[in-house]
Amino acid sequence: MSAFLVITFSGIALGAIYFLAASGLSLIYGLMDVLNFAHGLFMTIGAYLGWEIATRLPSSFGAPALITLAIVGATLGGAVAAGITELVLIRPLYGKPISQILVTIGLDLAAVGLLMGGFGSTALQIPVPLWLIEPTRIGSMFLPNANFLALGAGVVVLVVLEWFLARTRYGIIIRAGVENREMVRALGIDVGRAFTLVFVIGGAMAGLAGILYAVVFSGDLISPTQGDSLLIFAFIVVVIGGLGSIRGSAVAALVVGLLQDYTSFYIGGHSGWAQIGNLSTVLLLAVVLEWRPRGLFGRVV
Amino acid sequence: MTDAVAVSDLHVSIAGSHILQGVSFNVPTGGVTALLGRNGVGKTTTLRAILGLVASSGQIQVLGHDVENWPTHRIVRLGIGYVPEDRDVFSALTVEQNLRLAESSAAARYDDVFSLFPELKQRARQRAGTLSGGQQQMLSIARALLNDRPLLLVDEPSKGLAPKLVSEFASVLERAAEHSTVLLVEQNLGVVKRLADHVVVLDHGEVVHRGGAGDLDDPALVRRLLGVAGAA
Ligand SMILES: Nc1ncnc2c1ncn2[C@@H]1O[C@H](COP(=O)(O)OP(=O)(O)O)[C@@H](O)[C@H]1O
Ligand SMILES: [Mg+2]
C-alpha cells in the first residue's frame, strides 16, 4: 500500500513536470497553429542555464540560494530564447505552418548539435541542496522532497496561468485569439504582440520544466537531448488534453505521469521491461485519439 | 467633403477564383451607404478587403489614408467599428469580456450600449456562446458602437433574426448614423430603404449600379439588380 502511494506521488510529480512542458506548447499551438518543435530546446536551454548558474556562482551562496537562482534563471532563459525565436524565425513565416514547423525543427537540431559540441554528450550534474534529496515522512511513508517541489511548481503555474488567461487583458486577447484570430485583429488589436507574449510565457514554462526535470527525475543530470525526450511526452499530453486547453493539459499530464509510473513499476519492474512505461503512454494516446480525436478537452476546430 | 471610404479597381482572388474583379465605389462621409447584391456576389469580401482581412490589389482609402498593405489592426484603429456577417462574438468569453476586448480607450461608452441593449447588462457574466442569435448580434453591434468610431462597417445585421429585432437593430443603426458614416450590407430591402442614403450594387464581382436610395423605389430596377421583388 505504502509503495503504491509513493509511486502515485511520484507519478503526480512527473505529471506536474509534463504539465509545465505541455502547457506552453498547447498555448502556442492553440493561438498560432504553430507546432513548436523548438520547445524541447527551450527546456534544454533552461536546464543548461540553470547548471551554469548553479556551478559558476560561488558556493558560499549556499546550495538553497544557488538552486533557487538556477530555477529562476532557467525560467527567464527559456522565456528569452522563446521570445527571440518568435521574433526572428516564426514571425516572418506567419500563415506558413509547414515552414514554421521546419524552421523550429532546424533550430532544435542545430542547437542540440551546438550543445553537444560545447558541453559534450555526457550528462552534467547540477548541485542540489541536501534537503531536495531527503524525503519527508508522512505517516509511514517517505515522500521525496523533490517531488513536492515539482508538484508545487505545477500547481503554482496552473493557478497563475488560469488567472492570467481569465482576468488580464492579454489573457483575454489570447483566449479570443485562440477562437478567432481575425476578429481580434478586426477589433484593432495587434495579435502579433500577443503571439510574442505567448511564446515568452510558453518558453518560461519550458525552461522551468527543463531545470525541474533535471533536478527531480534524472538524478540531477542534464544532457543536450533531455528537452527533446521530454518534448515527446509534452506532445502526447497536449494531444490527449486537447490542443489549446490548459486545463486539458493539466489533467492529461497527470494521467500520463501516473500511467507511466504505474506501468514501469508494476509491469516493467517485474518483467524487467523498463520501456513499458513509455509504451503505455503512446498506447493511451492511440486510444484517446480513436475515441475522442479532439482530445479530452479539445474544442471543435 | 472627402469620402470616408474610396475603393478603386479592387481585385480579390481566393483559392483560384477571381471574386472581386475591379470594384470601384466611394462612401461619402456621413449617412448610410448600402452595399447590395445577390448572395455570393462579393459584398462580404469587399468589407473584408477594406479591413485588410483578405489580400487584395487596387486602391483602398479609409478615412483619408491609403491603407493597402496595412495590417488589419492599424486600419481598424483609424476609427472603424465592424459588425461581421456571422457576428463572430467570442463564445468562450463572457459578454463583459467581449466588450472589454473591443474597448479602445478609457472613453468607452458602456452606458450608451447598455441603454441600447439592457439585456447585455443583465447578461454581462454569461458566456457569449450561450446567448441566443439575437443577443449575439446585440453584442456584436455593441462591440462596434462601444468606442466613438467615425466609420462603421456592418454586414447583414438582420440576417436570420425575427422582424421585431430587425427593426430594433435598424433603429440602433439609424441613430449611430447620426454621427458615424455607415457602410451597410443588407438583404432586407425594407431596412435598406429606411436607412440608406446611397446605394452601390455589386454583381459578378463588379459594381453594376451606383445611386441614391430613391433608385430602390423603381421595382423594375430592383428586380434587375437584386433579383428580388421590389415591394418589400
Ligand atoms: N474563403 C473563401 N474561400 C473560397 N471562396 C470564398 C471564400 N470567401 C468567399 N468565397 C466566395 O466568394 C464569393 C463571394 O462571397 P461573399 O463575399 O461572401 O459574398 P456575399 O457577401 O455577397 O454573399 C462567393 O462565391 C463565395 O463562395
Ligand atoms: Mg456576405
Side-chain angles (χ1 to χ4, degrees):
Chain A
M1 187 60 205
S2 149
F4 173 77
L5 289 175
V6 170
I7 290 166
T8 302
F9 190 57
S10 154
I12 291 173
L14 184 59
I17 304 271
Y18 286 163
F19 168 68
L20 294 179
S23 48
L25 204 59
S26 178
L27 266 187
I28 288 171
Y29 183 84
L31 182 67
M32 309 171 60
D33 295 339
V34 177
L35 272 179
N36 174 30
F37 281 88
H39 209 68
L41 174 65
F42 303 155
M43 300 187 223
T44 309
I45 286 177
Y48 274 92
L49 197 67
W51 180 80
E52 289 283 346
I53 291 172
T55 53
R56 281 189 200 270
L57 289 180
S59 54
S60 58
F61 274 51
L66 283 177
I67 199 72
T68 307
L69 288 174
I71 290 173
V72 171
T75 308
L76 293 178
V80 170
I84 293 172
T85 302
E86 199 279 334
L87 288 173
V88 175
L89 292 178
I90 306 286
R91 184 160 287 211
L93 298 172
Y94 276 154
K96 298 178 188 152
I98 302 292
S99 308
Q100 289 174 327
I101 289 175
L102 291 178
V103 84
T104 59
I105 292 177
L107 173 67
D108 184 71
L109 292 175
V112 169
L114 274 179
L115 284 170
M116 291 263 190
F119 291 91
S121 56
T122 44
L124 303 175
Q125 186 155 26
I126 187 163
V128 296
L130 214 51
W131 172 84
L132 263 182
I133 301 163
E134 289 168 348
T136 293
R137 188 182 158 157
I138 297 179
S140 61
M141 288 178 300
F142 290 91
L143 298 175
N145 286 340
N147 287 357
F148 285 102
L149 177 66
L151 179 58
V155 169
V156 167
V157 166
L158 176 61
V159 169
V160 169
L161 214 52
E162 289 270 344
W163 167 82
F164 169 78
L165 288 172
R167 298 267 169 261
T168 65
R169 177 165 172 86
Y170 262 105
I172 292 171
I173 290 174
I174 288 167
R175 281 199 296 154
V178 169
E179 195 174 322
N180 185 344
R181 225 181 300 172
E182 280 196 349
M183 193 58 219
V184 177
R185 291 204 176 100
L187 292 176
I189 294 166
D190 181 359
V191 178
R193 226 188 293 172
F195 287 173
T196 311
L197 182 67
V198 164
F199 251 81
V200 166
I201 293 172
M205 289 182 298
L208 181 61
I211 186 89
L212 288 183
Y213 185 75
V215 167
V216 179
F217 285 103
S218 64
D220 319 337
L221 297 178
I222 291 168
S223 72
T225 53
Q226 168 191 309
D228 287 338
S229 11
L230 253 180
L231 182 65
I232 295 169
F233 293 105
F235 269 127
I236 291 175
V237 163
V238 167
V239 175
I240 291 177
L243 290 160
S245 165
I246 293 301
R247 222 166 286 184
S249 289
V251 172
L254 267 187
V255 171
V256 169
L258 283 170
L259 178 72
Q260 203 183 352
D261 262 17
Y262 288 147
T263 45
S264 12
F265 185 80
Y266 287 108
I267 303 176
H270 296 289
S271 65
W273 188 24
Q275 293 306 315
I276 184 72
N278 297 350
L279 182 66
S280 66
T281 62
V282 176
L283 286 178
L284 176 68
L285 175 68
V287 170
V288 169
L289 280 184
E290 189 61 34
W291 164 61
R292 263 186 85 97
R294 275 179 261 121
L296 297 176
F297 290 71
R299 294 156 290 117
V300 185
V301 185
Chain B
M1 196 174 303
T2 61
D3 294 324
V5 179
V7 167
S8 148
D9 198 27
L10 187 66
H11 290 260
V12 170
S13 295
I14 299 177
S17 70
H18 198 174
I19 294 169
L20 299 187
Q21 312 180 357
V23 168
S24 304
F25 67 94
N26 54 336
V27 178
T29 299
V32 176
T33 298
L35 182 59
L36 308 174
R38 299 164 219 245
N39 268 328
V41 295
K43 304 179 297 291
T44 298
T45 304
T46 303
L47 294 193
R48 289 169 52 78
I50 292 171
L51 288 165
L53 289 170
V54 287
S56 63
S57 68
Q59 285 87 54
I60 306 173
Q61 214 178 62
V62 173
L63 299 167
H65 294 80
D66 292 313
V67 299
E68 304 95 47
N69 302 319
W70 281 26
T72 296
H73 66 92
R74 215 175 134 208
I75 300 174
V76 170
R77 282 183 199 170
L78 290 173
I80 302 178
Y82 176 46
V83 182
E85 183 169 10
D86 297 315
R87 286 121 202 194
D88 287 341
V89 299
F90 300 104
S91 60
L93 304 183
T94 64
V95 168
E96 198 174 28
Q97 289 170 334
N98 267 275
L99 290 172
R100 203 168 136 203
L101 205 57
E103 201 180 302
S104 71
S105 72
R109 306 176 295 186
Y110 282 94
D111 290 347
D112 288 6
V113 298
F114 283 145
S115 78
L116 286 174
F117 305 117
E119 265 182 81
L120 293 182
K121 188 167 189 175
Q122 290 151 22
R123 296 175 185 274
R125 311 205 137 215
Q126 189 174 329
R127 275 163 47 114
T130 64
L131 296 172
S132 73
Q135 290 160 346
Q136 292 192 0
Q137 187 62 288
M138 290 178 196
L139 180 54
S140 188
I141 294 176
R143 222 165 37 175
L145 298 181
L146 185 65
N147 308 287
D148 192 3
R149 301 296 208 186
L151 176 62
L152 300 174
L153 305 185
V154 186
D155 199 347
E156 300 209 31
S158 68
K159 192 177 168 185
L161 299 178
K164 187 172 163 288
L165 271 179
V166 172
S167 103
E168 185 182 335
F169 289 145
S171 322
V172 168
L173 291 175
E174 200 165 33
R175 244 175 300 162
E178 285 166 15
H179 28 246
S180 302
T181 304
V182 179
L183 176 55
L184 173 71
V185 173
E186 181 55 66
Q187 301 272 19
N188 182 319
L189 210 54
V191 172
V192 174
K193 283 181 172 175
R194 177 170 159 195
L195 297 180
D197 303 294
H198 316 279
V199 296
V200 175
V201 183
L202 286 184
D203 202 5
H204 294 104
E206 291 177 62
V207 172
V208 292
H209 183 84
R210 269 174 287 203
D215 296 0
L216 297 174
D217 295 331
D218 175 358
L221 187 74
V222 167
R223 194 171 314 115
R224 183 167 62 78
L225 294 174
L226 302 175
V228 294

